[in-house]
Amino acid sequence: MSSEEAPIIGKDALGRPVKDLSVIPWWGVDRKKIEWYPRINYDRCAGCGLCFVTCGRRVFDWDKEKGKPVVARPYNCMVGCSTCAMLCPCDAIEFPDKAYVRKWVAKAKVVKKAFEIVDSIMPKNHLSEEEIKSTPEG
């Protein structure tokens, strides 16, 4: 299933359509098995809304009473993405350590799968036999 096929489950506070992207596996792994999503430190959050308005996967919604974003759909977050945290002017958004996502990259054999996908567009003999064998998955 692609993101285009994911069911629309409602609208966010701005009236934008929201899809349930959690139904789309990540490299063959059930998305809900991977705890990769943002957490907001409300002691730091200024309520600027940058995370809410820029996240194209509609992970965030808006608490109108508190004037702050909320992580409403955590499993809509793309595994490995931390754009919202990088954009946050208050450093109020946190993610698991990158070692956590790298564990999933290895477990799901993502590097091998990515090599297979790009192989058809790469020049022949672009990797030596040693490079092929030295992927992070072993």
Side-chain angles (χ1 to χ4, degrees), residues 55-104:
C55 179
R57 296 178 67 90
R58 307 290 186 261
V59 170
F60 301 94
D61 215 329
W62 194 256
D63 184 325
K64 292 177 184 178
E65 289 180 23
K66 295 180 180 175
K68 303 267 181 164
V70 291
V71 179
R73 292 164 290 277
Y75 294 104
N76 270 16
C77 188
M78 175 57 71
V79 176
C81 182
S82 60
T83 301
C84 57
M86 289 187 281
L87 293 175
C88 180
C90 301
D91 291 327
I93 300 175
E94 302 162 358
F95 278 87
D97 186 84
K98 69 180 175 182
Y100 176 79
V101 77
R102 285 188 175 167
K103 176 190 86 164
W104 280 102

Side-chain angles (χ1 to χ4, degrees), residues 10-62:
K11 294 185 177 194
D12 69 8
L14 290 175
R16 301 175 298 182
V18 174
K19 293 182 178 186
D20 180 6
L21 300 176
S22 71
V23 300
I24 302 169
W26 181 79
W27 292 98
V29 177
D30 180 341
R31 177 59 187 91
K32 291 183 179 173
K33 289 184 177 182
I34 306 170
E35 294 184 22
W36 180 271
Y37 44 80
R39 289 176 179 81
I40 301 170
N41 179 335
Y42 288 105
D43 291 335
R44 293 177 156 218
C45 178
C48 70
L50 189 58
C51 56
F52 170 61
V53 298
T54 60
C55 179
R57 296 178 67 90
R58 307 290 186 261
V59 170
F60 301 94
D61 215 329
W62 194 256

Side-chain angles (χ1 to χ4, degrees), residues 121-137:
I121 60 172
M122 295 298 287
K124 295 300 171 208
N125 303 320
H126 66 280
L127 293 175
S128 70
E129 201 61 38
E130 185 178 315
E131 288 172 314
I132 292 169
K133 293 178 183 177
S134 67
T135 65
E137 287 114 17

